Each structure stands twice: as C-alpha cells, then as structure tokens.
Amino acid sequence: MTQTVFAPWEDPGEKPLIQFKNVTKRFGSFTAIDNLTQDIYEREFFALLGPSGCGKTTMMRMLAGFEEVTEGQILLAGQDMARVPPNERAVNMMFQSYALFPHLSVWENIAFGLKRKKMPKSELDARVDEMLRLTRLERFARRKPHQISGGQRQRVALARSLARAPKLLLLDEPLGALDKKLRQDTQFELMDIQEKTGTTFVIVTHDQEESMTVASRVAVMDEGQIIQVATPDKIYEEPASLYVADFIGDVNIIEGIATKSGEDGYKINWSEGKEPFQAKTPRTLSEGQKAYIAIRPEKIAVSQDKPDSALNSIKGKIVDIAYLGNMSTYHVEIPGGLTIKAQTANTRRLSRRSFTWEDEVWLSWTLTAGSVLER
Amino acid sequence: MRRFSWFNATSLTFGFVFLYLPMLLLVIYSFNSSKLVTVWAGFSTKWYGELLQNEAFLDAAWVTLRVAVISSTIATVLGTMAAYVLVRSGRFLGRTLFSGMIYAPLVMPDVITGLSLLLLFIGIGLDRGVLTIVLAHTTFAMCYVSVVVSSRLVSFDKSLEEAALDLGCTPMQSFRLVTLPIIAPAVISGWLLAFTLSLDDLVIASFTAGPSSTTLPIKIFSAVRLGVSPEINALSTIMIGIVTIGVISASLITKRSMVRQQLEEQEAIRT
Ligand SMILES: Nc1ncnc2c1ncn2[C@@H]1O[C@H](COP(=O)(O)OP(=O)(O)OP(=O)(O)O)[C@@H](O)[C@H]1O
Ligand SMILES: [Mg+2]
C-alpha cells in the first residue's frame, strides 16, 4: 500500500493539538470528568461515544471555555487554556441545544460569527451563501429560527459553527435530527470540509454507525472516564472490555472459565459437560480464570448440517427471526438456555428463506471470530 | 367563563364601579362648563383652554415631564444592569442580601424613602430642585425596572450568550447584540413603568422638591387644598390619559412580544 495511513497518535514526534492532562471537573460534589488524560491530534476526527450523562458535553464545554477545569490542565497547541476566555479561542462549538439567536434570521445567524471578524462585506456574503448551500438552507435564509423545522435548525447551528472555519470544531450531536439520507450526505460533507480545511473535529454522537463512518478515532466514555480510544475498526473488532463491546454494536457474550490450549489460544468452558469454545487472543489469561467471548452476530454462520471445518459449533433452535431488509438476525437458543444472535445477509427473497421458527440449526464460528475479554 | 352567575356579575360590577367611578366623575366634570365642581351645567372644553394659559401649571407639567423622562431612563439603565448582574453572576458572597436589598424599596413606605433622601441631600448639601427629584425617582423606579427585567432574564437561555462568546463576541458585545435585543420588551415595559411611577409620585417628590421645582402632583395637591377647581379636573384627566396609555402599552408590550419571543426562543432551542 502506497497511501500513508493517517495515524499521528502512533508517531511519538507528533505534537498533539489538544492535551487533556489529568483533567477533573466537579459540579459541587458530583464528578463529571474524572482524572482524564487524552491527546487529540491535528486533522483528527475524534468521536466521543458514551451513554447519556457520561460527560461528553462537559468535555466539549471545557474545550470551548465555558466550564472551568477543577483539576488538571487543558492545552491547546501547547498553550494552557485556563485563562483564555471563549471568544479568544480558535474554537467553535455547535451546541447540543443549537442556541440559535431567535431575533436573527437564518442568514444573520450564520453571518454573526463572521461579522466579529471584520471581514469585507462581499467576502462575508459569499461565505454565508457558501454555508447556506452546503447545508441546503438557501430557501430559508430570510426566515427566523422559529419558522423552520428541527432538522433545519440543526443545520443552521452547524452552518453557523462552520462559517468561521476554526482550527478546532466541536460538534455536539450535530446530525441527530436529520433523516438518514441527509445525515449521510452531511457526514461526507463534513469529511470533505476536513480534507479541504484541515480542521480538527471533536464530535459527540449517539450513532455508532456515524462514528464508524467519520471518525479517525473513537473514544468510548463512561462516568467521566475514557474507557477505550482506538480507530473505529479496532474498537469494533477488538473491544477492550465488555462495556465497549456491548456499547458499540450488537454482540453475543459467552461467559466461561479459560484454560490454555495451544500457542495463543484458550478453551472457554462455558457450560459443564459441553464442548468448550476455542478462541485465539493476544491476551494472557491465567489458568482457570473467568473470561468472556464476545462475538458479533455477523461472524456466526447458520447452517442446516454440522460444518466439518469450524472449530466452534453448536446446535440450537431458532426462537426468533428479525428481518432487517438486507439482513436477518436469528435468535438461536442453545442448550443451557443461552440465546445467541446470528446474522446472515439476505440474498434470497423472504418467501424462500431456508430457516424458520423452531428449526434446528447449527451455529459455527472460527477461532478468531470472537474476542476474549477479562471484564 | 362558562357560568357567569349573578353573584359573579355583581361583585365584578361593584369592584369596577368602586375602582373607576371616582375617576369617571372626575373626567366627566372636567368637561363641565360651570365653575362649580358639583353642578353640571353642560359640556365644554373651556377648562382645558384655560389650563393652557396657566403658567404655574405648565411649568409644573414641564418639570414633571423632564423628571419622568430622565429618571426613568437612568433607572432603566441601572435597573437592567442590576438585574443582569443578580441573575447572571451565579453565586457570590452576599448575593441573597443584594437581591433582597434591590427589592426592599418596593415595600418601603414612600414617606420613609422620601425622608431619608431628604436627609441625605441636606447632609451632602445638595440644593433641592429638579436634580434631587430625578435622583429620588431614579432610586425607587430602579427597583421596579430590575424586578421586571430580572423576571425576563430568569427564563433567558444562557447558552445564547455562550454561543455569542463562542462566535467571537466580547461579553459586552454579547450583551448588546444578543441579550439586549431579546429582553428589549421587558426593558421597555420597565421604562414605561418607571415613567408612570415618576409621573404620579407625590410623597417622595414633596420631600425632595425645591421651591422652583414643583411637580404636577404637588401642584394639584396644594391647589386642591384651596378648593377643587374644574381646571384641576381637566389637568387630572390629562394625567389619567397619559398614565393609562403608559400602563396599557407597557402591559401590551410585555404580554405580546414577551410571550412571542419566549415562544421563538423555546423553539430555537431543541424541544
Ligand atoms: N452545570 C452543571 N451542574 C451540575 N451538574 C452538571 C452540570 N452540567 C452537567 N452536569 C452533570 O454532569 C454529567 C455529565 O453531563 P454532560 O452534559 O457532559 O453529559 P453528556 O455526556 O453530554 O450527556 P448527553 O448524551 O445526555 O448529552 C451529568 O451527570 C450532568 O448531570
Ligand atoms: Mg450532551
């Protein structure tokens, strides 16, 4: 491969744009951000993922300068931000609540930040029009925020934060209110903007697919801490913990006792008297310790007969089928009461589907299909 | 009201008659052609004409108007600032004390406010005149303005100001370009309230007015002690008119645009 992979976090010589250094944020006695240390590099598209209330917005607000850091330091391009007011930071934020100015039209809302820059009128007009075009709001330029729909408001908020072309753009759930088509288009626009301008994005999203599409790295948060930071595929394929595995996408979790088997493999004894499942992992587990296998449903094959080659296979009964258009998810009950989800692509028409409720089927997966996790 | 019972109708009528009959009589008698206040002798507007000839009354009217405009304007600026600081600046030492002290003059008897101001002016050797009335009116009107404005500010979404800061505004610009336009209806109705309060204040003005600076209420009060004249009725009718217009527009502005703006604001934020 000739194309160089964008991975500044692997280069020790690279200077991070943002540095969280042991940052703690407390509201009274409540700790919203708990001793967080994280570097974010220039030109990154850094996605924050996590359940509601885990501190995503708080992290952004500290970057934008609306929230003081209780302990620790935030550096932006090497400079300590503690004493820099929000209006003097080269940072723009798109608010989760939009915060559009109700007394100004869509056009004036977008122009607001540009006017503070003392830009020549013609340049300003051109820039606002460009933003309107980008967010497909040309027809609504003269309307007030209360005269447009929720999705349109979200786009105004996005356009307003993009207009100033900041070095660092903070987007707090920027695309939640858009329909799927428009969301995908906007995602590509965002990536395009980033290609062109080299802006660094920190984006909060609840949509794991979105983070997979746009992000250079994903940070999964929980209770004010970052649990894992990695590239989207790594987060998906090699989650560091059950929490991450469960949070990103659908996953089957099988609990058992690990015993060493071969070079870098383990047998997971998941039920007394049953054939243990086998898995490879770079981790070292101690003999007899509790471990989990996390397997994505699409990594599990469903077949009529027992496959010859697969090392892990088990027979079960279909208890439920979820038809998802291009995919079907089979819920298969295996001996011991565990229900395993297996996903297959629908290449045939629904009426000719080969399996149906109550059918006995074989599930199988390879040694590397699942990740072995300790917690 | 679905069932407009006999009792409700009576109490409403009684209440309104009690409130407005005296004023109605005053207005009617201001158009009386007779010099005798209590005897109706036909419609005439001559007392309004004579009023315009009366130098003393015109002077007093001019003083009153100047005092009202200047003091309500200063009170609006100060009251708005006070409200902003009290609502916005989170917790600071003695904040509760401050906000309590802002509202205290509302319930303070006018006599006490007037007397204490008089003592102050004498104490610092300020000659009583238009200036002292303006200062006195500013002091008490400011509280009213700050009450009106702060009730608006409490429901004001703070993230709008943050957005303004984020887009490069200094705190001052953010106030001027975002906060002020949005709370403008409350500020205007605060001004109108201050204006009408100043217009009809008698007690505080009589403590702080000098010989050369008599306001209309003082003039009317002293004139009436020598007997009610139709001229006074005419003058009072005009004042009722001005005050009514002031109060009605204040409440209209408040109701209409504040409701509308709050609606807009709520919609501009995600629901
Ligand atoms: N000003 C504040 N005072 C007290 N607690 C706060 C304040 N702001 C946020 N919190 C608390 O801090 C925690 C993190 O809040 P934050 O807004 O960062 O969550 P979030 O991850 O953005 O959630 P969501 O996905 O729902 O937007 C929450 O538990 C919240 O209640
Ligand atoms: Mg949030």
Side-chain angles (χ1 to χ4, degrees):
Chain A
M1 222 164 68
T2 49
Q3 198 185 358
T4 51
V5 185
F6 175 74
W9 51 90
E10 282 173 359
D11 178 358
E14 192 77 34
K15 281 243 182 311
L17 178 68
I18 306 165
Q19 286 170 284
F20 281 88
K21 287 189 170 172
N22 301 94
V23 173
T24 296
K25 172 71 196 175
R26 286 193 203 94
F27 295 106
S29 61
F30 176 79
T31 308
I33 297 291
D34 189 4
N35 193 17
L36 185 143
T37 300
Q38 179 64 45
D39 290 349
I40 300 174
Y41 293 84
E42 202 161 321
R43 306 185 77 96
E44 260 208 88
F45 213 122
F46 195 85
L48 293 174
L49 231 69
S52 182
C54 68
K56 305 181 294 292
T57 300
T58 308
M59 252 181 96
M60 295 228 165
R61 289 175 57 80
M62 288 192 296
L63 276 174
F66 301 129
E67 227 56 270
E68 274 175 32
V69 176
T70 316
E71 276 163 32
Q73 254 188 329
I74 297 179
L75 306 184
L76 203 73
Q79 190 197 351
D80 187 355
M81 286 284 112
R83 292 264 152 265
V84 184
N87 51 315
E88 284 165 25
R89 301 189 182 196
V91 178
N92 280 139
M93 173 158 168
M94 175 187 162
F95 288 71
Q96 193 172 9
S97 62
Y98 309 156
L100 301 179
F101 304 126
H103 59 297
L104 300 179
S105 70
V106 167
W107 199 95
E108 291 162 326
N109 260 286
I110 299 174
F112 192 90
L114 297 172
K115 285 187 181 159
R116 307 282 87 65
K117 279 195 156 179
K118 310 243 177 335
M119 215 180 226
K121 177 93 174 80
S122 58
E123 199 179 315
L124 186 145
D125 286 353
R127 182 79 184 146
V128 175
D129 288 341
E130 190 191 334
M131 287 300 124
L132 285 169
R133 209 165 33 246
L134 187 70
T135 46
R136 300 187 204 162
L137 288 165
E138 297 105 318
R139 290 192 296 136
F140 309 104
R142 302 277 148 230
R143 297 216 197 152
K144 292 276 185 71
H146 69 105
Q147 295 165 319
I148 57 178
S149 78
Q152 288 160 354
R153 271 176 225 149
Q154 193 167 42
R155 281 182 277 155
V156 178
L158 182 61
R160 188 179 67 179
S161 60
L162 283 172
R164 279 165 64 98
K167 270 197 83 58
L168 173 62
L169 196 55
L170 309 171
L171 306 176
D172 202 344
E173 291 192 43
L175 314 174
L178 307 185
D179 61 76
K180 192 163 177 145
K181 178 83 178 58
L182 191 54
R183 183 155 70 219
Q184 282 174 347
D185 289 354
T186 318
Q187 283 166 6
F188 287 117
E189 292 287 4
L190 285 180
M191 291 195 285
D192 213 38
I193 290 169
Q194 199 203 19
E195 289 278 290
K196 278 191 217 133
T197 59
T199 308
T200 307
F201 283 76
V202 178
I203 179 171
V204 168
T205 170
H206 275 303
D207 179 359
Q208 145 241 333
E209 210 176 295
E210 179 170 293
S211 65
M212 296 284 155
T213 319
V214 298
S216 61
R217 279 193 301 168
V218 176
V220 179
M221 294 183 67
D222 187 30
E223 295 186 345
Q225 288 177 322
I226 292 183
I227 307 291
Q228 187 180 5
V229 188
T231 54
D233 53 321
K234 208 156 181 196
I235 284 263
Y236 190 77
E237 302 289 347
E238 299 162 33
S241 65
L242 284 181
Y243 179 83
V244 176
D246 202 25
F247 196 81
I248 310 265
D250 224 353
V251 72
N252 293 297
I253 294 176
I254 303 168
E255 184 184 332
I257 304 295
T259 44
K260 188 109 182 125
S261 136
E263 251 319 271
D264 50 358
Y266 288 91
K267 280 196 159 86
I268 309 289
N269 202 333
W270 59 280
S271 178
E272 206 60 50
K274 297 266 158 28
E275 181 74 14
F277 294 133
Q278 300 186 38
K280 280 193 170 159
T281 178
R283 278 173 220 276
T284 354
L285 306 179
S286 51
E287 200 69 12
Q289 101 169 79
K290 194 195 258 186
Y292 305 84
I293 314 180
I295 320 170
R296 303 286 177 196
E298 72 273 13
K299 299 265 170 69
I300 301 181
V302 186
S303 58
Q304 192 86 61
D305 306 307
K306 184 174 160 83
D308 319 316
S309 55
L311 269 162
N312 296 305
S313 62
I314 186 145
K315 197 172 168 182
K317 196 171 72 182
I318 296 178
V319 290
D320 202 3
I321 305 174
Y323 177 65
L324 308 166
N326 53 346
M327 302 269 223
S328 284
T329 306
Y330 298 96
H331 295 240
V332 179
E333 196 179 296
I334 59 172
L338 214 58
T339 303
I340 303 278
K341 283 173 272 182
Q343 208 167 49
T344 56
N346 288 330
T347 45
R348 300 180 186 201
R349 291 289 301 270
L350 196 56
S351 54
R352 292 198 283 148
R353 200 164 47 188
S354 44
F355 307 113
T356 180
W357 282 266
E358 304 292 320
D359 275 1
E360 300 256 317
V361 290
W362 281 89
L363 302 177
S364 57
W365 61 91
T366 63
L367 286 183
T368 49
S371 349
V372 178
L373 303 171
E374 290 175 73
R375 56 190 164 80
Chain B
M1 210 174 279
R2 266 180 296 114
R3 257 182 289 154
F4 202 76
S5 72
W6 177 85
F7 175 76
N8 283 355
T10 324
S11 37
L12 196 70
T13 318
F14 188 74
F16 270 86
V17 166
F18 192 76
L19 273 176
Y20 288 104
L21 187 67
M23 277 189 241
L24 189 68
L25 282 178
L26 189 147
V27 173
I28 291 172
Y29 277 109
S30 74
F31 294 105
N32 190 358
S33 60
S34 157
K35 179 111 185 101
L36 293 168
V37 184
T38 46
V39 182
W40 181 258
F43 181 85
S44 142
T45 52
K46 73 174 179 198
W47 301 114
Y48 287 89
E50 264 184 39
L51 194 63
L52 288 179
Q53 311 288 316
N54 191 327
E55 284 283 325
F57 274 140
L58 287 182
D59 278 352
W62 179 232
V63 169
T64 311
L65 199 67
R66 267 190 309 172
V67 168
V69 168
I70 298 172
S71 70
S72 59
T73 306
I74 302 175
T76 303
V77 174
L78 293 179
T80 305
M81 273 159 53
Y84 189 76
V85 171
L86 285 175
V87 173
R88 270 291 172 272
S89 59
R91 310 224 135 270
F92 61 87
L93 199 65
R95 190 192 152 196
T96 326
L97 186 68
F98 267 108
S99 45
M101 274 162 64
I102 275 279
Y103 298 143
L106 290 183
V107 289
M108 199 64 78
D110 283 355
V111 183
I112 293 179
T113 313
L115 186 62
S116 51
L117 282 164
L118 175 65
L119 292 177
L120 173 76
F121 293 144
I122 292 172
I124 60 174
L126 204 60
D127 279 340
R128 276 175 289 155
V130 173
L131 177 67
T132 49
I133 313 177
V134 166
L135 287 178
H137 281 183
T138 305
T139 319
F140 86 91
M142 186 187 123
C143 314
Y144 288 85
V145 175
S146 109
V147 170
V148 173
V149 173
S150 63
S151 74
R152 175 67 185 93
L153 275 173
V154 193
S155 65
F156 182 90
D157 179 19
K158 204 177 164 202
S159 69
L160 293 177
E161 282 168 6
E162 289 177 342
L165 292 179
D166 189 65
L167 293 165
C169 283
T170 60
M172 197 59 218
Q173 282 174 321
S174 132
F175 179 78
R176 189 164 53 83
L177 297 167
V178 173
T179 316
L180 200 55
I182 293 173
I183 63 164
V187 174
I188 293 170
S189 61
W191 186 88
L192 281 168
L193 189 63
F195 182 78
T196 36
L197 284 172
S198 162
L199 215 58
D200 65 17
D201 164 68
L202 169 67
V203 179
I204 294 174
S206 25
F207 275 103
T208 51
S212 64
S213 59
T214 315
T215 64
L216 264 190
I218 299 177
K219 192 88 205 158
I220 293 172
F221 189 69
S222 52
V224 165
R225 276 191 298 189
L226 307 174
V228 180
S229 78
E231 240 174 329
I232 299 276
N233 283 348
L235 184 61
S236 309
T237 304
I238 294 173
M239 280 186 75
I240 289 174
I242 295 176
V243 170
T244 310
I245 291 168
V247 168
I248 288 179
S249 28
S251 68
L252 276 188
I253 289 174
T254 319
K255 280 244 171 62
R256 279 248 183 89
S257 47
M258 264 166 78
V259 165
R260 205 196 65 221
Q261 273 208 349
Q262 252 161 21
L263 214 72
E264 285 179 10
E265 195 180 324
Q266 272 160 16
E267 288 202 15
I269 308 162
R270 194 192 307 200
T271 36

